[in-house]
Amino acid sequence: MKIAIAAILLVGLTLSTWIYVSRRRPAVAPVLPPVVSQAQVSDFAEVAVTVTPLVVSPKQNWEFQIALNTHISDQTTDLMASAVLLVANKEYKPLAWDGDPPGGHHRSGRLIFAPPEPAATAYALKLRLDGESEDRIFSWPKP
């Protein structure tokens, strides 16, 4: 009988301690990855361009996944020369293109930009493909 009472007291004490400690533990904000927005598609002149922000963070290079798809001509645009990131009325040229070289009907890769200064309020990516007279503009709200 004494053992049963001791066991019940031990379980009760353990449970009470666990509840007390769990309620006193400070809330810790989860570490979240940089903001990632939804993909946008521009389908014009039989060329579909899909742009997806991958990394949009004030302390990291910004990265955008780009996909060009068509069945009418090779995609020869130099994306390093034709792409511009627009943030707070400033233009930023890409640091790098990590993807398929010019040519072919299907190209994809990542455009990489230095993080803009000051922190972004809203941002846009402007592209002009070879043979097109107007820019394609992809825009997103504040990250």
Side-chain angles (χ1 to χ4, degrees), residues 77-119:
T77 302
D78 178 357
L79 293 170
M80 286 288 293
S82 71
V84 176
L85 177 64
L86 305 167
V87 179
N89 296 321
K90 292 183 183 178
E91 294 188 353
Y92 298 85
K93 295 300 284 177
L95 298 174
W97 165 253
D98 181 17
D100 299 328
H105 291 201
H106 308 283
R107 290 179 63 197
S108 65
R110 293 178 305 126
L111 270 175
I112 302 167
F113 295 84
E117 296 280 336

Side-chain angles (χ1 to χ4, degrees), residues 65-79:
Q65 180 71 36
I66 309 293
L68 306 171
N69 292 291
T70 185
H71 289 285
I72 61 166
S73 63
D74 286 346
Q75 293 305 302
T76 58
T77 302
D78 178 357
L79 293 170

Side-chain angles (χ1 to χ4, degrees), residues 42 44 47 49 125-127 129 132 134-138:
S42 169
F44 174 75
V47 179
V49 180
L125 184 66
K126 179 172 69 171
L127 297 173
L129 301 183
E132 293 185 356
E134 294 186 26
D135 295 328
R136 296 185 189 219
I137 298 176
F138 306 85

Side-chain angles (χ1 to χ4, degrees), residues 11-70:
V11 170
L13 181 61
T14 303
L15 185 57
S16 297
T17 303
W18 179 79
I19 291 171
Y20 175 76
V21 170
S22 66
R23 288 186 180 179
R24 292 193 37 93
R25 190 175 302 151
V28 177
V31 177
L32 301 174
V35 174
V36 178
S37 300
Q38 292 187 347
Q40 293 187 18
V41 178
S42 169
D43 197 348
F44 174 75
E46 297 188 53
V47 179
V49 180
T50 304
V51 178
T52 307
L54 299 175
V55 178
V56 180
S57 171
K59 296 183 182 186
Q60 293 180 303
N61 286 340
W62 286 28
E63 297 182 16
F64 295 84
Q65 180 71 36
I66 309 293
L68 306 171
N69 292 291
T70 185

